[in-house]
Amino acid sequence: VVFLSGSIEMVTSVVRALPARRLIASVDNGFDVTKPSKLKKIMRRQWTDLDELGLRVLQARDADFGGATTASFMFGFSREVLVDGRSGSERPVPSPPRNVRRQLRHYVEGGDEPFAVSVGKSDVAAVDCVDRAVWFTHGSREAVRGEGLFPSHRPRALVLAPIYKWPSRFVLRQLALKEFVHLYQLPSTMDSAFDPKVYGPLCNWRVLPPFVNSPTPVMYASLIRQLWGSFGGGEPSDDSSAAGNDDRAEERMSEGDVVA
């Protein structure tokens, strides 16, 4: 099986050139350089392009795979990957598990990261946990609250974070490098792979790490595991392990699927 990940232009070119058709493709998105309204249109076009390549398309949200960002991605599966080797029938594409819900608060720690503004916890009204970005405004500044998701289209946004030395206060700051790596569900061993002098709040996240525009490893692992589970590592198995994806394309194009 061939795995592709990149821009829609790259994916289209490679798929058309490949003689083999057993493949899974995912499309990266330039969240930090694309307005949310334009991104909706771009993703509609990505769906169409993948469909015209003969791929079965899934729009998958990071939040449906245990993530805590508003990011959403297109995946394409060739029919040959989905065909049941025993019956010869085509199974549905894998579906998001949606059994683990997390918010930004699960990834924000209380260390002594650089900050300019703090606010008393008593001044922050309680809100319910939701499946979108939740903003807190303090003067001329705004920060993302931990009860919601991190806005993928604003990776340099401030977050409302706890601080250990001041238990009664929150601080408004950018995500630390370690938090950023964990938020995008990379292994902890990757913490040291990025130079804090290049990536991180010390340089105002001037350079963003490459993984912010790509599906997370957890998304890949979940989808591939469903296929392997369905086919027993390449061998046919019973239908009970197949995962469905019954959402209609237009339903998955709602604004909440892409941005908060």
Side-chain angles (χ1 to χ4, degrees), residues 167-199:
S168 63
R169 302 189 71 80
F170 286 116
V171 298
L172 279 69
R173 61 169 175 81
Q174 291 180 315
L175 287 174
L177 176 57
K178 180 179 180 180
E179 293 170 333
F180 216 82
V181 170
H182 293 178
L183 175 65
Y184 284 85
Q185 303 193 75
L186 271 69
S188 299
T189 53
M190 295 291 292
D191 289 355
S192 58
F194 299 95
D195 187 347
K197 295 179 181 178
V198 178
Y199 304 99

mmCIF file of all heavy atoms in Angstrom, residues 167-199:
data_model
loop_
_atom_site.group_PDB
_atom_site.id
_atom_site.type_symbol
_atom_site.label_atom_id
_atom_site.label_comp_id
_atom_site.label_asym_id
_atom_site.label_seq_id
_atom_site.Cartn_x
_atom_site.Cartn_y
_atom_site.Cartn_z
ATOM 1 N N PRO A 167 -1.485 29.969 42.056
ATOM 2 C CA PRO A 167 -2.637 29.071 41.858
ATOM 3 C C PRO A 167 -3.964 29.810 41.661
ATOM 4 O O PRO A 167 -4.906 29.230 41.116
ATOM 5 C CB PRO A 167 -2.664 28.251 43.159
ATOM 6 C CG PRO A 167 -1.276 28.344 43.710
ATOM 7 C CD PRO A 167 -0.787 29.701 43.327
ATOM 8 N N SER A 168 -4.044 31.048 42.089
ATOM 9 C CA SER A 168 -5.301 31.782 41.992
ATOM 10 C C SER A 168 -5.409 32.612 40.713
ATOM 11 O O SER A 168 -6.365 33.373 40.549
ATOM 12 C CB SER A 168 -5.473 32.706 43.203
ATOM 13 O OG SER A 168 -4.440 33.686 43.227
ATOM 14 N N ARG A 169 -4.445 32.450 39.799
ATOM 15 C CA ARG A 169 -4.444 33.289 38.606
ATOM 16 C C ARG A 169 -4.230 32.464 37.333
ATOM 17 O O ARG A 169 -3.704 31.340 37.377
ATOM 18 C CB ARG A 169 -3.359 34.381 38.698
ATOM 19 C CG ARG A 169 -3.512 35.294 39.903
ATOM 20 C CD ARG A 169 -2.563 36.477 39.831
ATOM 21 N NE ARG A 169 -2.957 37.437 38.800
ATOM 22 C CZ ARG A 169 -3.923 38.344 38.962
ATOM 23 N NH1 ARG A 169 -4.599 38.414 40.097
ATOM 24 N NH2 ARG A 169 -4.209 39.200 37.999
ATOM 25 N N PHE A 170 -4.672 33.042 36.230
ATOM 26 C CA PHE A 170 -4.331 32.553 34.897
ATOM 27 C C PHE A 170 -3.379 33.553 34.257
ATOM 28 O O PHE A 170 -3.366 34.745 34.616
ATOM 29 C CB PHE A 170 -5.575 32.453 34.006
ATOM 30 C CG PHE A 170 -6.480 31.304 34.327
ATOM 31 C CD1 PHE A 170 -7.768 31.544 34.790
ATOM 32 C CD2 PHE A 170 -6.075 29.986 34.141
ATOM 33 C CE1 PHE A 170 -8.628 30.493 35.066
ATOM 34 C CE2 PHE A 170 -6.929 28.931 34.419
ATOM 35 C CZ PHE A 170 -8.216 29.185 34.894
ATOM 36 N N VAL A 171 -2.581 33.069 33.302
ATOM 37 C CA VAL A 171 -1.742 33.965 32.515
ATOM 38 C C VAL A 171 -2.133 33.842 31.048
ATOM 39 O O VAL A 171 -2.654 32.812 30.616
ATOM 40 C CB VAL A 171 -0.241 33.666 32.695
ATOM 41 C CG1 VAL A 171 0.169 33.871 34.136
ATOM 42 C CG2 VAL A 171 0.097 32.246 32.238
ATOM 43 N N LEU A 172 -1.918 34.922 30.309
ATOM 44 C CA LEU A 172 -2.168 34.922 28.870
ATOM 45 C C LEU A 172 -0.822 34.801 28.177
ATOM 46 O O LEU A 172 0.037 35.687 28.315
ATOM 47 C CB LEU A 172 -2.875 36.204 28.434
ATOM 48 C CG LEU A 172 -4.392 36.274 28.651
ATOM 49 C CD1 LEU A 172 -4.720 36.350 30.150
ATOM 50 C CD2 LEU A 172 -4.977 37.493 27.938
ATOM 51 N N ARG A 173 -0.608 33.708 27.476
ATOM 52 C CA ARG A 173 0.681 33.462 26.827
ATOM 53 C C ARG A 173 0.490 32.565 25.622
ATOM 54 O O ARG A 173 -0.586 31.980 25.412
ATOM 55 C CB ARG A 173 1.653 32.805 27.807
ATOM 56 C CG ARG A 173 1.185 31.436 28.328
ATOM 57 C CD ARG A 173 2.295 30.735 29.064
ATOM 58 N NE ARG A 173 1.893 29.480 29.684
ATOM 59 C CZ ARG A 173 1.789 28.312 29.050
ATOM 60 N NH1 ARG A 173 2.060 28.233 27.757
ATOM 61 N NH2 ARG A 173 1.436 27.206 29.703
ATOM 62 N N GLN A 174 1.534 32.446 24.824
ATOM 63 C CA GLN A 174 1.505 31.504 23.717
ATOM 64 C C GLN A 174 1.824 30.103 24.226
ATOM 65 O O GLN A 174 2.361 29.930 25.324
ATOM 66 C CB GLN A 174 2.525 31.918 22.655
ATOM 67 C CG GLN A 174 2.171 33.188 21.916
ATOM 68 C CD GLN A 174 3.224 33.547 20.875
ATOM 69 O OE1 GLN A 174 4.423 33.498 21.139
ATOM 70 N NE2 GLN A 174 2.775 33.910 19.671
ATOM 71 N N LEU A 175 1.477 29.122 23.433
ATOM 72 C CA LEU A 175 1.816 27.748 23.789
ATOM 73 C C LEU A 175 3.330 27.571 23.842
ATOM 74 O O LEU A 175 4.058 28.111 23.005
ATOM 75 C CB LEU A 175 1.232 26.772 22.770
ATOM 76 C CG LEU A 175 -0.277 26.533 22.806
ATOM 77 C CD1 LEU A 175 -0.681 25.657 21.630
ATOM 78 C CD2 LEU A 175 -0.706 25.889 24.115
ATOM 79 N N ALA A 176 3.787 26.808 24.809
ATOM 80 C CA ALA A 176 5.190 26.431 24.857
ATOM 81 C C ALA A 176 5.474 25.394 23.773
ATOM 82 O O ALA A 176 4.559 24.734 23.276
ATOM 83 C CB ALA A 176 5.534 25.866 26.228
ATOM 84 N N LEU A 177 6.730 25.241 23.406
ATOM 85 C CA LEU A 177 7.107 24.283 22.373
ATOM 86 C C LEU A 177 6.660 22.872 22.753
ATOM 87 O O LEU A 177 6.094 22.138 21.931
ATOM 88 C CB LEU A 177 8.618 24.325 22.150
ATOM 89 C CG LEU A 177 9.199 23.313 21.154
ATOM 90 C CD1 LEU A 177 8.540 23.450 19.792
ATOM 91 C CD2 LEU A 177 10.717 23.491 21.045
ATOM 92 N N LYS A 178 6.891 22.482 23.999
ATOM 93 C CA LYS A 178 6.500 21.149 24.453
ATOM 94 C C LYS A 178 4.985 20.963 24.346
ATOM 95 O O LYS A 178 4.506 19.912 23.911
ATOM 96 C CB LYS A 178 6.959 20.938 25.891
ATOM 97 C CG LYS A 178 6.612 19.579 26.471
ATOM 98 C CD LYS A 178 7.128 19.445 27.896
ATOM 99 C CE LYS A 178 6.772 18.083 28.487
ATOM 100 N NZ LYS A 178 7.269 17.957 29.884
ATOM 101 N N GLU A 179 4.231 21.979 24.734
ATOM 102 C CA GLU A 179 2.772 21.902 24.655
ATOM 103 C C GLU A 179 2.319 21.776 23.199
ATOM 104 O O GLU A 179 1.374 21.054 22.891
ATOM 105 C CB GLU A 179 2.151 23.146 25.288
ATOM 106 C CG GLU A 179 2.356 23.246 26.790
ATOM 107 C CD GLU A 179 1.956 24.590 27.347
ATOM 108 O OE1 GLU A 179 2.007 25.587 26.592
ATOM 109 O OE2 GLU A 179 1.603 24.658 28.539
ATOM 110 N N PHE A 180 2.989 22.524 22.324
ATOM 111 C CA PHE A 180 2.645 22.500 20.902
ATOM 112 C C PHE A 180 2.842 21.109 20.324
ATOM 113 O O PHE A 180 1.990 20.589 19.596
ATOM 114 C CB PHE A 180 3.527 23.506 20.160
ATOM 115 C CG PHE A 180 2.836 24.227 19.036
ATOM 116 C CD1 PHE A 180 2.037 25.324 19.299
ATOM 117 C CD2 PHE A 180 2.987 23.824 17.726
ATOM 118 C CE1 PHE A 180 1.400 26.000 18.271
ATOM 119 C CE2 PHE A 180 2.356 24.483 16.692
ATOM 120 C CZ PHE A 180 1.560 25.585 16.967
ATOM 121 N N VAL A 181 3.966 20.480 20.667
ATOM 122 C CA VAL A 181 4.256 19.132 20.177
ATOM 123 C C VAL A 181 3.205 18.142 20.675
ATOM 124 O O VAL A 181 2.709 17.300 19.924
ATOM 125 C CB VAL A 181 5.673 18.696 20.616
ATOM 126 C CG1 VAL A 181 5.900 17.216 20.329
ATOM 127 C CG2 VAL A 181 6.727 19.530 19.905
ATOM 128 N N HIS A 182 2.840 18.256 21.952
ATOM 129 C CA HIS A 182 1.865 17.331 22.523
ATOM 130 C C HIS A 182 0.461 17.595 21.986
ATOM 131 O O HIS A 182 -0.309 16.657 21.772
ATOM 132 C CB HIS A 182 1.879 17.447 24.048
ATOM 133 C CG HIS A 182 3.151 16.971 24.662
ATOM 134 N ND1 HIS A 182 3.403 17.011 26.017
ATOM 135 C CD2 HIS A 182 4.277 16.448 24.096
ATOM 136 C CE1 HIS A 182 4.612 16.528 26.257
ATOM 137 N NE2 HIS A 182 5.156 16.188 25.110
ATOM 138 N N LEU A 183 0.121 18.882 21.773
ATOM 139 C CA LEU A 183 -1.194 19.227 21.238
ATOM 140 C C LEU A 183 -1.422 18.578 19.879
ATOM 141 O O LEU A 183 -2.531 18.119 19.578
ATOM 142 C CB LEU A 183 -1.324 20.749 21.119
ATOM 143 C CG LEU A 183 -2.599 21.283 20.469
ATOM 144 C CD1 LEU A 183 -3.819 20.954 21.328
ATOM 145 C CD2 LEU A 183 -2.503 22.790 20.246
ATOM 146 N N TYR A 184 -0.378 18.521 19.072
ATOM 147 C CA TYR A 184 -0.490 17.897 17.749
ATOM 148 C C TYR A 184 -0.170 16.412 17.799
ATOM 149 O O TYR A 184 0.086 15.781 16.782
ATOM 150 C CB TYR A 184 0.382 18.641 16.745
ATOM 151 C CG TYR A 184 -0.260 19.943 16.321
ATOM 152 C CD1 TYR A 184 -0.091 21.100 17.079
ATOM 153 C CD2 TYR A 184 -1.084 20.018 15.211
ATOM 154 C CE1 TYR A 184 -0.710 22.294 16.726
ATOM 155 C CE2 TYR A 184 -1.705 21.204 14.843
ATOM 156 C CZ TYR A 184 -1.514 22.332 15.608
ATOM 157 O OH TYR A 184 -2.135 23.518 15.261
ATOM 158 N N GLN A 185 -0.192 15.857 19.024
ATOM 159 C CA GLN A 185 -0.150 14.420 19.288
ATOM 160 C C GLN A 185 1.079 13.727 18.716
ATOM 161 O O GLN A 185 0.997 12.590 18.234
ATOM 162 C CB GLN A 185 -1.443 13.757 18.791
ATOM 163 C CG GLN A 185 -2.697 14.370 19.409
ATOM 164 C CD GLN A 185 -3.922 13.544 19.184
ATOM 165 O OE1 GLN A 185 -4.094 12.511 19.823
ATOM 166 N NE2 GLN A 185 -4.788 13.967 18.277
ATOM 167 N N LEU A 186 2.201 14.418 18.755
ATOM 168 C CA LEU A 186 3.462 13.789 18.401
ATOM 169 C C LEU A 186 4.025 13.086 19.636
ATOM 170 O O LEU A 186 3.728 13.473 20.770
ATOM 171 C CB LEU A 186 4.466 14.820 17.885
ATOM 172 C CG LEU A 186 4.441 15.097 16.380
ATOM 173 C CD1 LEU A 186 3.154 15.813 15.996
ATOM 174 C CD2 LEU A 186 5.643 15.933 15.963
ATOM 175 N N PRO A 187 4.848 12.072 19.457
ATOM 176 C CA PRO A 187 5.430 11.367 20.610
ATOM 177 C C PRO A 187 6.284 12.307 21.454
ATOM 178 O O PRO A 187 6.879 13.264 20.947
ATOM 179 C CB PRO A 187 6.294 10.281 19.951
ATOM 180 C CG PRO A 187 5.757 10.131 18.569
ATOM 181 C CD PRO A 187 5.243 11.472 18.162
ATOM 182 N N SER A 188 6.344 12.028 22.748
ATOM 183 C CA SER A 188 7.138 12.855 23.663
ATOM 184 C C SER A 188 8.607 12.894 23.264
ATOM 185 O O SER A 188 9.316 13.857 23.569
ATOM 186 C CB SER A 188 7.001 12.331 25.098
ATOM 187 O OG SER A 188 5.661 12.398 25.525
ATOM 188 N N THR A 189 9.069 11.859 22.587
ATOM 189 C CA THR A 189 10.471 11.829 22.160
ATOM 190 C C THR A 189 10.784 12.915 21.131
ATOM 191 O O THR A 189 11.944 13.193 20.863
ATOM 192 C CB THR A 189 10.799 10.451 21.550
ATOM 193 O OG1 THR A 189 9.842 10.136 20.521
ATOM 194 C CG2 THR A 189 10.734 9.369 22.625
ATOM 195 N N MET A 190 9.727 13.531 20.562
ATOM 196 C CA MET A 190 9.928 14.577 19.578
ATOM 197 C C MET A 190 10.179 15.940 20.213
ATOM 198 O O MET A 190 10.490 16.903 19.523
ATOM 199 C CB MET A 190 8.713 14.669 18.660
ATOM 200 C CG MET A 190 8.471 13.453 17.788
ATOM 201 S SD MET A 190 9.728 13.266 16.513
ATOM 202 C CE MET A 190 9.373 14.674 15.463
ATOM 203 N N ASP A 191 10.031 16.031 21.539
ATOM 204 C CA ASP A 191 10.203 17.318 22.213
ATOM 205 C C ASP A 191 11.545 17.951 21.895
ATOM 206 O O ASP A 191 11.658 19.164 21.704
ATOM 207 C CB ASP A 191 10.083 17.146 23.732
ATOM 208 C CG ASP A 191 8.659 16.859 24.166
ATOM 209 O OD1 ASP A 191 7.769 16.896 23.301
ATOM 210 O OD2 ASP A 191 8.442 16.593 25.363
ATOM 211 N N SER A 192 12.581 17.123 21.854
ATOM 212 C CA SER A 192 13.931 17.639 21.656
ATOM 213 C C SER A 192 14.309 17.771 20.184
ATOM 214 O O SER A 192 15.416 18.188 19.858
ATOM 215 C CB SER A 192 14.946 16.722 22.352
ATOM 216 O OG SER A 192 14.858 15.396 21.849
ATOM 217 N N ALA A 193 13.387 17.420 19.291
ATOM 218 C CA ALA A 193 13.700 17.452 17.859
ATOM 219 C C ALA A 193 13.603 18.859 17.278
ATOM 220 O O ALA A 193 14.076 19.108 16.170
ATOM 221 C CB ALA A 193 12.771 16.511 17.097
ATOM 222 N N PHE A 194 13.008 19.783 18.021
ATOM 223 C CA PHE A 194 12.821 21.144 17.530
ATOM 224 C C PHE A 194 13.596 22.120 18.405
ATOM 225 O O PHE A 194 13.475 22.124 19.626
ATOM 226 C CB PHE A 194 11.336 21.500 17.520
ATOM 227 C CG PHE A 194 10.509 20.608 16.630
ATOM 228 C CD1 PHE A 194 9.855 19.498 17.160
ATOM 229 C CD2 PHE A 194 10.394 20.857 15.272
ATOM 230 C CE1 PHE A 194 9.095 18.663 16.350
ATOM 231 C CE2 PHE A 194 9.649 20.028 14.453
ATOM 232 C CZ PHE A 194 9.007 18.933 14.994
ATOM 233 N N ASP A 195 14.392 22.945 17.772
ATOM 234 C CA ASP A 195 15.233 23.913 18.467
ATOM 235 C C ASP A 195 14.372 25.055 19.002
ATOM 236 O O ASP A 195 13.725 25.763 18.231
ATOM 237 C CB ASP A 195 16.281 24.463 17.494
ATOM 238 C CG ASP A 195 17.306 25.352 18.176
ATOM 239 O OD1 ASP A 195 17.083 25.742 19.338
ATOM 240 O OD2 ASP A 195 18.328 25.675 17.538
ATOM 241 N N PRO A 196 14.345 25.273 20.342
ATOM 242 C CA PRO A 196 13.528 26.356 20.906
ATOM 243 C C PRO A 196 13.981 27.748 20.469
ATOM 244 O O PRO A 196 13.231 28.715 20.614
ATOM 245 C CB PRO A 196 13.688 26.163 22.418
ATOM 246 C CG PRO A 196 14.949 25.384 22.582
ATOM 247 C CD PRO A 196 15.042 24.503 21.379
ATOM 248 N N LYS A 197 15.193 27.834 19.922
ATOM 249 C CA LYS A 197 15.649 29.123 19.408
ATOM 250 C C LYS A 197 15.049 29.426 18.038
ATOM 251 O O LYS A 197 15.105 30.559 17.560
ATOM 252 C CB LYS A 197 17.182 29.127 19.307
ATOM 253 C CG LYS A 197 17.894 29.009 20.650
ATOM 254 C CD LYS A 197 19.402 28.990 20.465
ATOM 255 C CE LYS A 197 20.127 28.840 21.800
ATOM 256 N NZ LYS A 197 21.598 28.781 21.624
ATOM 257 N N VAL A 198 14.494 28.404 17.426
ATOM 258 C CA VAL A 198 13.857 28.558 16.111
ATOM 259 C C VAL A 198 12.339 28.454 16.223
ATOM 260 O O VAL A 198 11.607 29.246 15.625
ATOM 261 C CB VAL A 198 14.375 27.495 15.125
ATOM 262 C CG1 VAL A 198 13.685 27.627 13.769
ATOM 263 C CG2 VAL A 198 15.889 27.615 14.962
ATOM 264 N N TYR A 199 11.886 27.472 17.025
ATOM 265 C CA TYR A 199 10.459 27.245 17.197
ATOM 266 C C TYR A 199 10.076 27.553 18.643
ATOM 267 O O TYR A 199 10.700 27.068 19.571
ATOM 268 C CB TYR A 199 10.092 25.792 16.897
ATOM 269 C CG TYR A 199 10.491 25.308 15.530
ATOM 270 C CD1 TYR A 199 11.656 24.561 15.341
ATOM 271 C CD2 TYR A 199 9.706 25.586 14.416
ATOM 272 C CE1 TYR A 199 12.015 24.099 14.086
ATOM 273 C CE2 TYR A 199 10.049 25.135 13.162
ATOM 274 C CZ TYR A 199 11.214 24.393 13.005
ATOM 275 O OH TYR A 199 11.564 23.947 11.756
#
